[in-house]
Amino acid sequence: MDRVSALAEPLKKTLGPATAKVMAESLDLHTVGDLLHHYPRRYEERGQLTRLDELPLDEDVTVVAQVADSRVLKFNAGRGQRLEITITDGSGRLQLVFFGRGIHKPHKDLPPGSRAMFAGKVSVFNRKLQLAHPTYERLDADSGDGAVSAFAGRLIPIYPACKGLESWKIAKAVDAVLPQAREAVDPLPPALREGREFVSLTEALLKIHRPETKADIEDARRRLKWDEAFVLQVALARRRYADAQLPAVARRPAPGGLLDAFDAKLPFTLTEGQQKVSAEIFGDLATEHPMHRLLQGEVGSGKTMVALRAMLAVVDAGGQAAMLAPTEVLAQQHHRSIVEMMGELAEGGMLGGAEQGTKVVLLTGSMGAAARRQALLDLVTGEAGIVIGTHALIEDKVQFHDLGLVVVDEQHRFGVEQRDALRGKGKQPPHLLVMTATPIPRTVAMTVFGDLETSVLDQLPAGRSPIATHVVPAADKPHFLARAWERVREEAEGGHQAYVVCPRIGDDEEEPKKKSAEDEAEKRPPLAVLDVAEQLAAGPLKGLRVEVLHGRMAPDDKDDVMRRFAAGEVDVLVATTVIEVGVNVPNATAMVIMDADRFGVSQLHQLRGRVGRGSAPGLCLLVTEMPEASPARARLGAVAATLDGFELSCIDLEQRREGDVLGQAQSGVRSSLRVLAVIDDEEVIAAAREEAVSVVTADPELERLPELRTALDALLDKDRERYLDKG
């Protein structure tokens, strides 16, 4: 069989259509090669107990444990019955529950003392973690199942699984395709493999799926980690090499021009960090190939100021600059604050405008026809040196006179196609500055944004205040929540303002589909802006001026609410995460985040950054009903314990696992990272990057390394390579 086609064979040929369908839909596995690269998450030894004290809520898990006790309980006046089984593993206990006619088989199969693998989704009932109707496979040699007794004394691979396809079923599917691992094409140049003493790819695949010893697992992981890091770094190195060959117009600010005039009227001095980063950016803009720079900085570190000075430099040099913002609220906010900062310099060509000024225009999807026509005209004639907009900037109708710089704000919110469409509007490739307030650990920057140079702003401007963060356990201690509303009232009475953030809007949003009453006893829909605002205005915050803000409001209404909040005419703004980025109201000192456990770590950090932006200290209260021992509470505790975004981004990454790291949301493609842990494997990534640079410098098209070329095509399939292309 052809070496490539063996691994490219569709799974339905080998496993049958039903299993292949679940694998494709739930795990995105389509070929033999995909399944061979679906590695076990961990291994269990017979007789070794797994940890039940670290179960993640709302995730499908597989556990190996022993039955401690089981009991059948009647409910509904004796008409219904349920089987409750407690399992233990030495670290903790977990309840399994079965209902109705489904109780008889597990009751018989799982007497106290028996051991099994259990798979299901972790939920909460009566504040205790449980698995409802888990599937299970007995692990006792005497259970009469030859296949199960074969597990005895061996390392049992536990695979990332899904509903309808438990770990042990995946293990049987892997057994069926494992012989084809012998056909795997080895991507590493032989000299590199020998120099680093790696096992062959075939051997690594056999050892990771069916290890005889723990040393086998180590050998396999060491080799497979390197493959992932190396192939990815080769793709990035080729990207950087290609970029260095592209032409661009060098943009040097004219002395005595717009930038100098702007700097002269600044009422404060730039921080040392802002000056350093600006110098790096101006250096890039002065070269004749496109800048590709990532600017990351904590919430409130002054990224917008740095970006604005870069835009002014480009306008000075005769070009135009476009800033792409993820939401209309943010685009309007940026437009307003940039026009305010520039004053008469933003009124180029207008009566009273400065001589060296330029026009700053806003372009969003909901603008009136006349305003939109004027904005488009200003762009095509070059009247407008700076445009700030949402994805409306990307539409075909939008044309620039001479686009020299693209600034992308909160880059994780944009698909790469959108960024690419905007970059395509330049006569030559424009310079690119990507900004994010989500701090990114160095290894992630090296992995995800490996084709971008990175600048970090880690100083906060003088006069910023500290933010105190506390977890409010509303279910365990309802009086804490009552106190939270008292604190909001105290802030308002002291002349300050507050945000209350909810996960949902409310009104006619689709309610989550109801499951059985037993499953859902503890699950309610997330709290909604409209309901919470009504309850607060009528209850604990009665007499205060409470308003709402959410994404489904008309743009003019949103803008009106934000203007009035900024002007101090609203005491409490009850909002969705539309306020997450860029909203700047220095007088807002308190934030209450309802159902805080429904948000990610980075998102909570971003939201919190909206308070404490003035001279008064900030307060952020994370309200949750999750039980104390739950992972969600631990996550909230971590956010409350530190204001260091880099530390939190590491926690966030560890919790989300590496699957998300390569920006699945941005590329719509499965991540190619399976064993590489970008936080822990910094040395592997750095070494792979070095090797990749020397390989690509010597042979940019990889003509002498066809196996590596094949691996690039397979691991970073065309979509992934395109994603890196546009990053």
Side-chain angles (χ1 to χ4, degrees):
M1 189 186 275
D2 168 348
R3 294 199 305 160
V4 179
S5 64
L7 300 198
E9 189 173 279
L11 285 172
K12 57 174 174 265
K13 264 187 162 178
T14 319
L15 305 178
T19 305
K21 185 169 188 276
V22 181
M23 284 197 168
E25 287 174 2
S26 300
L27 297 171
D28 199 12
L29 305 176
H30 305 273
T31 64
V32 168
D34 289 346
L35 182 53
L36 286 174
H37 287 295
H38 185 71
Y39 308 131
R41 186 170 277 169
R42 62 176 203 281
Y43 303 82
E44 295 295 350
E45 293 173 89
R46 271 217 70 208
Q48 181 196 47
L49 298 170
T50 71
R51 298 193 68 79
L52 290 182
D53 60 350
E54 293 173 354
L55 291 180
L57 196 62
D58 277 338
E59 274 193 36
D60 286 295
V61 297
T62 301
V63 296
V64 176
Q66 191 160 4
V67 175
D69 58 57
S70 83
R71 56 206 165 280
V72 176
L73 304 171
K74 302 267 196 240
F75 62 91
N76 210 356
R79 289 194 296 279
Q81 52 182 359
R82 82 172 172 269
L83 169 66
E84 284 183 1
I85 295 178
T86 307
I87 59 173
T88 180
D89 69 349
S91 74
R93 295 163 83 81
L94 179 66
Q95 192 158 290
L96 314 178
V97 58
F98 300 85
F99 293 103
R101 285 195 286 271
I103 74 170
H104 305 299
K105 189 170 183 331
H107 196 208
K108 184 162 104 347
D109 287 349
L110 300 168
S114 58
R115 291 174 53 70
M117 280 203 280
F118 301 93
K121 190 171 229 182
V122 183
S123 57
V124 175
F125 182 71
N126 277 342
R127 307 221 189 123
K128 282 194 189 139
L129 295 182
Q130 68 163 28
L131 295 182
H133 281 284
T135 50
Y136 57 89
E137 177 120 324
R138 283 277 296 261
L139 288 183
D140 305 312
D142 59 8
S143 64
D145 183 341
V148 174
S149 59
F151 278 137
R154 283 192 32 210
L155 290 160
I156 305 165
I158 304 291
Y159 288 92
C162 61
K163 193 173 164 57
L165 206 59
E166 296 85 3
S167 172
W168 51 89
K169 288 186 183 162
I170 295 172
K172 286 170 187 164
V174 169
D175 282 337
V177 301
L178 205 50
Q180 275 140 285
R182 301 189 184 287
E183 314 292 332
V185 175
D186 201 321
L188 292 193
L192 196 160
R193 194 176 79 226
E194 287 151 23
R196 291 187 174 267
E197 298 178 349
F198 288 130
V199 297
S200 71
L201 180 57
T202 291
E203 199 181 328
L205 289 170
L206 295 173
K207 282 181 166 178
I208 197 141
H209 287 293
R210 296 297 171 261
E212 298 291 323
T213 62
K214 288 184 176 173
D216 283 354
I217 301 170
E218 272 315 297
D219 281 352
R221 287 178 67 84
R222 187 171 162 263
R223 165 65 212 257
L224 295 167
K225 263 181 191 184
W226 180 272
D227 278 20
E228 288 181 5
F230 180 67
V231 173
L232 187 59
Q233 291 301 337
V234 166
L236 291 165
R238 294 184 70 213
R239 184 68 245 133
R240 287 194 301 274
Y241 182 86
D243 280 342
Q245 319 303 313
L246 283 176
V249 179
R251 310 277 179 177
R252 297 180 184 87
L258 185 54
L259 179 61
D260 285 351
F262 175 74
D263 283 349
K265 63 193 282 302
L266 273 182
F268 52 82
T269 23
L270 298 176
T271 65
E272 216 173 290
Q274 286 174 317
Q275 290 174 20
K276 179 175 144 286
V277 170
S278 290
E280 290 169 352
I281 291 171
F282 292 154
D284 286 355
L285 290 174
T287 61
E288 302 202 337
H289 58 86
M291 165 170 82
H292 287 103
R293 189 167 282 281
L294 170 70
L295 170 56
Q296 51 166 325
E298 281 285 11
V299 177
S301 57
K303 292 181 300 299
T304 310
M305 173 60 71
V306 169
L308 175 57
R309 293 183 72 243
M311 294 197 283
L312 295 175
V314 168
V315 175
D316 254 355
Q320 290 169 293
M323 182 186 251
L324 187 58
T327 64
E328 291 209 346
V329 167
L330 189 52
Q332 287 163 339
Q333 176 97 21
H334 273 322
H335 180 256
R336 203 160 42 236
S337 64
I338 283 175
V339 167
E340 274 168 24
M341 283 195 275
M342 287 176 64
E344 74 279 9
L345 296 174
E347 295 166 1
M350 290 186 257
L351 202 60
E355 183 189 339
Q356 68 273 66
T358 187
K359 237 181 183 181
V360 179
V361 302
L362 175 69
L363 188 64
T364 65
S366 60
M367 282 168 76
R372 190 182 172 75
R373 254 198 319 275
Q374 184 59 53
L376 291 172
L377 188 64
D378 288 340
L379 287 181
V380 77
T381 59
E383 279 284 299
I386 295 177
V387 58
I388 293 136
T390 54
H391 49 267
L393 279 176
I394 293 161
E395 291 166 14
D396 292 343
K397 290 197 282 287
V398 179
Q399 289 182 342
F400 289 84
H401 176 64
D402 179 13
L403 180 60
L405 170 66
V406 172
V407 178
V408 181
D409 191 23
E410 283 312 316
Q411 88 88 36
H412 63 282
R413 300 290 195 87
F414 287 98
V416 284
E417 281 72 22
Q418 294 167 306
R419 286 208 306 270
D420 204 44
L422 185 52
R423 279 172 65 185
K425 290 184 179 290
K427 293 187 175 69
Q428 277 194 319
H431 298 281
L432 175 70
L433 179 65
V434 163
M435 300 199 297
T436 178
T438 307
I440 301 164
R442 189 177 99 86
T443 44
V444 183
M446 230 170 13
T447 310
V448 186
F449 302 109
D451 55 340
L452 296 173
E453 298 299 324
T454 304
S455 295
V456 179
L457 273 177
D458 46 15
Q459 281 175 296
L460 288 186
R464 277 293 161 89
S465 305
I467 305 169
T469 310
H470 303 284
V471 178
V472 177
D476 309 348
K477 299 178 177 168
H479 60 287
F480 275 35
L481 183 58
R483 175 71 188 120
W485 300 128
E486 281 172 21
R487 283 290 292 111
V488 170
R489 189 175 270 287
E490 286 163 15
E491 289 297 310
E493 283 164 0
H496 295 298
Q497 293 158 280
Y499 298 99
V500 176
V501 182
C502 304
R504 219 163 49 97
I505 298 172
D507 71 23
D508 57 357
E509 273 184 298
E510 265 188 46
E511 290 291 327
K513 298 210 172 21
K514 290 280 182 276
K515 297 180 186 150
S516 75
E518 290 89 353
D519 276 2
E520 290 298 308
E522 286 282 297
K523 288 223 179 139
R524 55 166 176 73
L527 290 169
V529 165
L530 300 176
D531 306 339
V532 169
E534 199 176 306
Q535 288 158 14
L536 291 176
L541 302 185
K542 193 170 181 177
L544 296 183
R545 297 165 297 177
V546 177
E547 297 257 2
V548 300
L549 179 71
H550 57 73
R552 282 213 311 274
M553 289 163 64
D556 288 351
D557 296 345
K558 277 192 277 201
D559 204 33
D560 177 55
V561 170
M562 270 318 295
R563 270 178 200 284
R564 287 189 295 113
F565 187 63
E569 294 162 21
V570 173
D571 297 315
V572 179
L573 188 63
V574 184
T576 55
T577 54
V578 23
I579 62 153
E580 180 187 345
V581 285
V583 171
N584 184 24
V585 179
N587 192 45
T589 51
M591 175 176 286
V592 181
I593 304 178
M594 308 302 290
D595 281 343
D597 47 273
R598 313 249 182 173
F599 299 98
V601 170
S602 292
Q603 205 173 21
L604 291 170
H605 182 57
Q606 284 274 11
L607 285 165
R608 165 172 70 184
R610 300 301 113 213
V611 295
R613 299 177 77 86
S615 51
L619 172 69
C620 178
L621 302 174
L622 308 173
V623 179
T624 178
E625 292 188 359
M626 280 291 140
E628 192 162 357
S630 64
R633 276 284 283 279
R635 202 170 68 224
L636 296 180
V639 175
T642 179
L643 288 170
D644 182 336
F646 284 91
E647 198 178 311
L648 288 174
S649 69
C650 292
I651 295 167
D652 193 23
L653 201 60
E654 280 159 12
Q655 298 208 325
R656 287 187 299 145
R657 300 205 181 94
E658 265 63 34
D660 296 351
V661 166
L662 286 192
Q664 256 161 311
Q666 295 176 48
S667 64
V669 179
R670 183 180 70 246
S671 161
S672 55
L673 294 194
R674 292 180 180 79
V675 283
L676 189 71
V678 290
I679 294 290
D680 303 333
D681 296 325
E682 180 164 352
E683 282 171 28
V684 176
I685 292 167
R689 182 176 171 129
E690 244 171 76
E691 292 277 12
V693 169
S694 60
V695 164
V696 171
T697 308
D699 181 7
E701 292 305 311
L702 307 180
E703 283 163 0
R704 297 190 292 282
L705 297 168
E707 294 84 2
L708 179 53
R709 189 64 257 195
T710 303
L712 260 187
D713 294 343
L715 238 151
L716 302 167
D717 51 38
K718 280 293 163 242
D719 291 323
R720 166 70 53 199
E721 182 110 54
R722 236 180 52 237
Y723 161 59
L724 290 168
D725 246 22
K726 295 167 183 167

